Amino acid sequence: MNFKVSGFDWDKGNWPKCNKHGVTKEEIEEIFLFSPHIMTDPFPYEARIRVIGKTAVGRYIFLVFTFREIDNKTFIRPISARYMHEKEIKHYEKRTQS
């Protein structure tokens, strides 16, 4: 992907779903600053992307998002977020060390 992202698309539709596991907007936005691992998501009705990453204070987050075009600008629209389980963290750490 080689385009500019203008920010995040938050509203009453996606924010409550992301926050239900206690993850903050700041944490979700922060994981993009630290080279997250990005994967495609198999959701059949919309192009979605999975991200696993770590915040500055070391909290591991799993995020599903899509891109949205608003006024000819591209935004990241988070769909779902949660803290990663211990097994997922170990797998993530193993991938980033190889």
Side-chain angles (χ1 to χ4, degrees):
M1 291 180 245
N2 195 11
F3 55 88
K4 182 179 179 189
V5 173
S6 296
F8 290 81
D9 177 24
W10 293 110
D11 63 26
K12 65 181 181 176
N14 67 340
W15 170 236
K17 188 170 183 186
C18 290
N19 184 244
K20 78 178 183 180
H21 295 290
V23 181
T24 67
K25 288 180 184 178
E26 292 78 15
E27 288 175 312
I28 291 168
E29 293 177 7
E30 189 175 277
I31 64 172
F32 288 93
L33 301 175
F34 299 104
S35 301
H37 181 73
I38 299 172
M39 306 159 280
T40 58
D41 186 88
F43 189 75
Y45 305 109
E46 178 179 50
R48 293 183 175 184
I49 300 163
R50 295 179 182 186
V51 173
I52 53 177
K54 192 163 60 167
T55 66
V57 297
R59 296 196 81 176
Y60 293 83
I61 295 174
F62 174 85
L63 171 69
V64 176
F65 74 94
T66 191
F67 290 108
R68 286 288 162 88
E69 294 293 321
I70 303 169
D71 297 327
N72 294 320
K73 294 180 182 176
T74 302
F75 290 84
I76 293 171
R77 181 172 177 80
I79 296 168
S80 179
R82 64 173 173 77
Y83 295 110
M84 291 168 53
H85 304 290
E86 190 64 35
K87 184 177 177 181
E88 293 170 316
I89 293 170
K90 287 179 183 176
H91 181 71
Y92 171 78
E93 286 295 327
K94 187 177 179 180
R95 290 184 85 152
T96 59
Q97 292 173 1
S98 23

